[in-house]
Amino acid sequence: MRNASSYRGTVLILAAAVLWGTMGIFVRSLGAYGFDSIQISALRLCAAALCFLLLLAVRRGSRSRIRIRDIPLFLGLGVGSVGLMTCCYFAAIRMLTMSEAAILLYTSPIWVMLMSALFFHERVTRRKLLALALSVAGCALVSGIGGGQMQPLGIVVGVGSGIAYGLYSILGSVALRRYPPEAVSAYTFFIAAIAVLLISRPAELVQKMAAADGLAGLILLILATGAVTAFAPFLLYTLGLQAVQASHAAILATVEPLVATVLGILVYHEQLRTATLLGIACILGAILALNAQKC
């Protein structure tokens, strides 16, 4: 039987995916103020970094200080994973449809499974392959990927977002062997926030904030976006990685598009298609396959 730690890790990662699934609501709300996608991403990352740094200050310890030899690891997490994923994903959205960009982002379990086998020597079992196939099929169905011809460059950057997304599970697992979860998340988001802020046309971003009606309400929205869609889920996901294999975690996280679809139906009255129901069934099947007791 699986131990309690493994089940706890599974619950934490599923909770993270549920929170990530709310991102569309916050993004649409910030978009109404005139911010573009990269600027919204910068605001989200900055707010999350602030939350993580405050948490780190409260729980400060000797293991929270980055050693010089680990700086490349955190640069990889901040720039190569969180920052690059954000940039590639929003670039894919500009070149492809939202559904096409989403399914390319959620190729991440494939890359995590390959990287985990290569670097951590995790076994690629038949159950993992079944769960992987179900999760990818489910994401495709939920996203409603169309039959139109996709731009080659869009495919490249879309797959790049999936690889960068998956890289967080790999590098995060390494960092957690040396640092507490709050330190890993704080330094990752601090570096990612700086990197994305530099390419977000910060002067224009500040002008838009200054010109906004109800600045106090906007600031609260930005803080809520960072807290709900980045701070809490990434902390939960990082904690979950302590008890769950990286490839397992990446498949569990595919619950996110399922949650986003359900919220779209409930909040924005988006149409529920038969393909969506099949996709939801596939994702739930992937979770059951991963968590079924071994015979």
Side-chain angles (χ1 to χ4, degrees):
M1 292 180 64
R2 291 179 178 271
N3 57 37
S5 177
S6 179
Y7 280 116
R8 177 176 175 271
T10 296
V11 170
L12 289 173
I13 289 167
L14 289 174
V18 169
L19 291 175
W20 275 323
T22 67
M23 195 182 308
I25 295 173
F26 289 94
V27 169
R28 289 188 182 187
S29 299
L30 285 172
Y33 284 90
F35 299 113
D36 62 30
S37 297
I38 298 297
Q39 290 170 339
I40 291 171
S41 179
L43 292 171
R44 171 177 174 262
L45 291 174
C46 286
L50 176 61
C51 293
F52 278 119
L53 290 172
L54 289 173
L55 176 63
L56 186 61
V58 171
R59 303 189 61 178
R60 193 171 183 176
S62 59
R63 291 184 62 221
S64 296
R65 301 189 188 97
I66 295 180
R67 293 185 289 271
I68 293 176
R69 67 183 178 89
D70 289 328
I71 290 176
L73 173 61
F74 282 97
L75 286 173
L77 276 165
V79 179
S81 178
V82 175
L84 182 62
M85 177 200 72
T86 301
C87 294
C88 285
Y89 184 51
F90 286 122
I93 288 173
R94 289 198 299 269
M95 288 181 272
L96 307 172
T97 66
M98 284 287 294
S99 60
E100 289 167 345
I103 189 57
L104 291 174
L105 174 68
Y106 276 93
T107 60
S108 60
I110 299 172
W111 312 115
V112 172
M113 187 172 291
L114 292 175
M115 288 187 282
S116 295
L118 179 62
F119 298 116
F120 300 151
H121 307 293
E122 288 185 8
R123 290 180 56 212
V124 180
T125 64
R126 283 179 293 181
R127 184 168 56 178
K128 282 186 181 178
L129 289 173
L130 172 62
L132 178 63
L134 286 171
S135 67
V136 172
C139 287
L141 290 166
V142 167
S143 297
I145 189 167
Q149 187 174 4
M150 293 190 283
Q151 296 182 37
L153 182 58
I155 295 173
V156 170
V157 295
V159 170
S161 71
I163 294 173
Y165 188 15
L167 193 60
Y168 185 86
S169 295
I170 302 301
L171 296 180
S173 296
V174 175
L176 284 168
R177 298 171 185 171
R178 308 172 190 175
Y179 300 93
E182 62 270 15
V184 173
S185 299
Y187 293 127
T188 295
F189 272 83
F190 178 71
I191 293 169
I194 292 174
V196 177
L197 189 61
L198 289 174
I199 63 171
S200 68
R201 301 186 303 280
E204 178 185 306
L205 190 153
V206 171
Q207 288 177 350
K208 289 179 179 179
M209 288 188 66
D213 292 331
L215 181 58
L218 173 59
I219 291 174
L220 286 175
L221 176 60
I222 292 169
L223 291 174
T225 301
V228 176
T229 73
F231 170 69
F234 269 96
L235 184 59
L236 291 170
Y237 189 83
T238 305
L239 288 168
L241 279 176
Q242 293 181 308
V244 174
Q245 290 183 344
S247 56
H248 187 144
I251 295 173
L252 288 171
T254 58
V255 167
E256 179 189 344
L258 183 156
V259 174
T261 299
V262 172
L263 287 176
I265 294 167
L266 295 177
V267 178
Y268 299 110
H269 307 292
E270 294 175 355
Q271 186 177 3
L272 178 61
R273 300 171 297 108
T274 302
T276 300
L277 289 173
L278 290 174
I280 290 172
C282 285
I283 293 171
L284 292 176
I287 295 169
L288 291 174
L290 278 177
N291 289 280
Q293 290 187 359
K294 294 182 179 179
C295 299

